[in-house]
Amino acid sequence: MLCTRLTNARFLTMDPDHPVAHELGIWRGRIVGLDGAVASLPAREVIDLQGATVLPGFIDSHVHLPWTGLKQNTPSIAGRTRIDDVLAAVAEAVARQGSPGSWVSIAGYDQRALGRHLTAAELDRVSQGHKVFVLHDSGHGCVVNTAVLELLSADVPHENGFLAEGAMGAARALRLPYSQQELAEAIGRAARTCLAEGVTACAEAGIGGRLFGHSPVELGAYQLAREKGLLPLRVQLMVSTDRLSTVAAHEADGIPKALDLGLRTGFGDDWLSVGALKIYTDGGMMARTAALRDPYEGLDHAGQLQDDPEALAQSIVDGHLAGWQLAVHAIGDRAADVALDALERAQRLRPRPGARHRIEHAGLIRPDQLPRLARLGLSAVVQPNFLRHFGDDYAAIMGAERAPWLYRGRGFLDHGITLVGSSDRPVADGSPLRAIQFMAERASGSGRPIGPDEAVTVDEALHAYTVAGAYACHWEDSAGSLTPGKRADLVVLGDDPRRVAVSRIGDIEVVATYVDGREAGKPA
């Protein structure tokens, strides 16, 4: 007997052997058959989906769940365009802090809305003796007041209180990390938001590190979230490379650096597992710290690498030699050069053709770099909603020649590079449907075309958020398509993305999300 039979729907399976179905059977959280194979089988529950469209659950291959959940509960200055209004919001947040001298965190900071960065002196006027930390929306910088600057080493660089990349990490390290309970609750909040948008599995893009990690014991927070029933979707955890240390191992093991106990990609189960090793090579375009070969349009600099190029390359080589899948953050084309050079070197030293290394973001990839990504078998994990939200700005700072290379789609596919969809939530909107719309129409929120030749078909965009996402996370045997034997993770939509006008895809209703054959939010 089936546990559940879903009927009267259009199942877009993403499986070429059975691309469209109308009934689907579930037993113990797995898909057991489609159409005639299950139509006559008895079931404990038969659910009439009333003509809805059903797809495999979306896979968001690059998110930050704790950051998303914490941001939801943090005072924000988002949307404010005047310095005085921002300072008034900071003053209000400070006034709510009862403990003298305590830390005050503020979210929603973006200097582009203000025309310039805030300064430490301005924050001092409203700090009332507290330590103020205002996080940039990109996650690649912050502004702090003098009370924080005085705690930093004199060699930590800043610009009137604005700290970027490693300098920001130094400021974050001054305070006690979030507790595991706080992180578990934040993970739960973010996970529920993901489910509401049809996401059933995701890859957390870097735990435990100085830049985007929230605690050295962050993995334990995920375990706690699962134990407390706060983890309603599947999560694969990328480990920040600064969590690795030199180990004493046999030369034949080929492990120059490792996590304690030698843990690496693949540990875990269907719900919570360790994925790729996350390596940051540069910053972000919002903060103007992505490392470019040529300067930003209208600026006198070209961003920055996170470290000396050789040190970055060695981290990539060490991770490859130790058996990790690598997720290399490279937004600018100069950062991509560093990554590609190091990955080529690593593969020469120890060929691992099945490693499935990934370039996270691949925000600006020159035409000459495309064949190199293809030869190395890399996946490009892009964030289409970046250009939907920030495309006008990104195109302006890249200039006419480089703007068509931003967050490519067609260029990757035409070179045989796996195109993977993701959000980088909470940096940008997390909705897969709105991202799929952008991938097909390549228009920013204002209607401006951004690299229109990089548009892909709706089918190809859906593939990026299902089949390709599963491949990038080594989940292809259990997720990414509605195939018998795979997990019964699926999303029920109010319309068919393939049949509506492209401009309407982002507005399609997510009717329900199923994980393990059960509708999310309903009792087991």
Side-chain angles (χ1 to χ4, degrees):
M1 174 179 285
L2 298 174
C3 295
T4 307
R5 187 169 74 248
L6 303 179
T7 187
N8 187 20
R10 179 176 171 80
F11 293 90
L12 306 181
T13 68
M14 306 305 294
D15 182 347
D17 292 334
H18 195 148
V20 179
H22 300 284
E23 296 207 39
L24 182 145
I26 300 169
W27 185 69
R28 293 189 176 180
R30 296 271 173 170
I31 299 168
V32 296
L34 302 167
D35 290 339
V38 297
S40 60
L41 295 179
R44 294 193 188 104
E45 183 179 31
V46 177
I47 299 176
D48 184 342
L49 293 177
Q50 301 179 349
T53 296
V54 182
L55 279 157
F58 296 127
I59 297 171
D60 190 335
S61 299
H62 185 119
V63 301
H64 300 277
L65 293 180
W67 181 13
T68 298
L70 291 168
K71 186 176 181 179
Q72 291 172 355
N73 279 15
T74 300
S76 176
I77 55 175
R80 291 171 174 82
T81 58
R82 297 175 63 249
I83 298 289
D84 288 347
D85 292 341
V86 166
L87 295 177
V90 174
E92 183 179 340
V94 166
R96 292 199 294 267
Q97 284 290 334
S99 304
S102 61
W103 286 86
V104 178
S105 295
I106 306 291
Y109 175 60
D110 186 343
Q111 85 286 354
R112 298 173 302 174
L114 302 173
R116 65 169 176 83
H117 278 299
L118 287 172
T119 69
E122 287 168 334
L123 291 176
D124 289 345
R125 299 205 305 263
V126 295
S127 297
Q128 297 183 30
H130 292 278
K131 294 180 281 289
V132 178
F133 183 100
V134 183
L135 181 63
H136 196 278
D137 264 346
S138 68
H140 287 272
C142 65
V143 181
V144 299
N145 65 343
T146 302
V148 177
L149 293 177
E150 289 174 343
L151 298 175
L152 293 169
S153 169
D155 61 355
V156 174
H158 71 90
E159 183 180 334
N160 297 321
F162 177 71
L163 301 100
E165 309 303 340
M168 176 198 68
R172 291 181 65 160
L174 293 172
R175 59 195 301 186
L176 191 67
Y178 290 96
S179 71
Q180 287 195 344
Q181 182 63 37
E182 288 175 299
L183 292 175
E185 291 172 357
I187 289 163
R189 287 193 294 273
R192 291 190 293 274
T193 301
C194 291
L195 284 172
E197 295 177 337
V199 175
T200 57
C202 63
E204 170 64 45
I207 62 168
R210 281 209 315 165
L211 281 181
F212 285 84
H214 295 88
S215 167
V217 292
E218 197 167 353
L219 192 152
Y222 276 89
Q223 291 180 290
L224 181 63
R226 183 178 177 188
E227 291 164 2
K228 288 181 169 290
L230 299 174
L231 194 67
L233 46 69
R234 306 181 197 279
V235 180
Q236 187 177 88
L237 304 171
M238 300 184 205
V239 177
S240 292
T241 188
D242 48 356
R243 288 294 97 200
L244 269 60
S245 57
T246 302
V247 295
H250 287 272
E251 185 176 349
D253 291 340
I255 305 176
K257 288 186 176 182
L259 286 177
D260 292 343
L261 305 180
L263 199 69
R264 60 173 172 82
T265 301
F267 183 82
D269 59 21
D270 278 356
W271 283 95
L272 185 61
S273 60
V274 174
L277 181 68
K278 180 72 178 294
I279 301 174
Y280 293 93
T281 63
D282 69 344
M285 286 186 187
M286 291 172 65
R288 310 315 196 222
T289 55
L292 310 179
R293 184 181 64 177
D294 301 309
Y296 288 90
E297 192 79 7
L299 300 178
D300 60 359
H301 70 87
Q304 65 188 78
L305 295 171
Q306 293 285 357
D307 204 340
D308 174 77
E310 181 51 36
L312 294 172
Q314 193 60 54
S315 293
I316 291 170
V317 171
D318 286 349
H320 173 88
L321 294 179
W324 287 88
Q325 178 190 23
L326 302 181
V328 185
H329 167 115
I331 292 184
D333 57 338
R334 182 184 172 209
D337 281 334
V338 171
L340 293 170
D341 289 346
L343 289 166
E344 286 176 346
R345 176 173 145 200
Q347 290 286 15
R348 283 195 303 270
L349 290 170
R350 177 177 294 176
R352 289 177 54 209
R356 298 194 197 175
H357 296 324
R358 310 158 38 141
I359 299 294
E360 306 299 304
H361 306 294
L364 187 75
I365 299 295
R366 301 188 309 269
D368 64 286
Q369 293 173 318
L370 291 169
R372 298 184 69 194
L373 269 82
R375 283 196 303 271
L376 287 163
L378 302 176
S379 296
V381 184
V382 299
Q383 297 77 39
N385 276 331
F386 276 15
L387 293 189
R388 194 173 71 85
H389 284 287
F390 316 130
D392 293 355
D393 174 61
Y394 285 12
I397 61 173
M398 289 301 106
E401 180 184 7
R402 294 181 294 183
W405 308 340
L406 287 165
Y407 293 90
R408 292 175 179 270
R410 175 57 52 203
F412 290 134
L413 292 179
D414 285 353
H415 282 78
I417 298 162
T418 301
L419 175 65
V420 183
S422 70
S423 69
D424 204 16
R425 186 193 304 264
V427 178
D429 176 8
S431 165
L433 286 170
R434 287 191 283 273
I436 287 163
Q437 177 178 323
F438 175 83
M439 294 174 80
E441 67 181 4
R442 296 289 298 195
S444 71
S446 71
R448 175 178 178 171
I450 309 290
D453 290 344
E454 290 295 326
V456 303
T457 68
V458 173
D459 280 342
E460 290 167 335
L462 290 170
H463 188 276
Y465 277 89
T466 54
V467 178
Y471 174 84
C473 296
H474 290 270
W475 283 334
E476 69 273 16
D477 290 337
S478 58
S481 66
L482 302 181
T483 301
K486 293 191 177 184
R487 305 166 186 155
D489 297 351
L490 46 90
V491 56
V492 181
L493 302 178
D495 218 328
D496 185 342
R498 296 172 172 178
R499 292 185 171 185
V500 303
V502 172
S503 61
R504 288 185 51 212
I505 292 174
D507 295 325
I508 292 174
E509 179 188 4
V510 175
V511 177
T513 305
Y514 285 73
V515 181
D516 251 5
R518 294 189 293 270
E519 184 176 350
K522 288 194 173 182

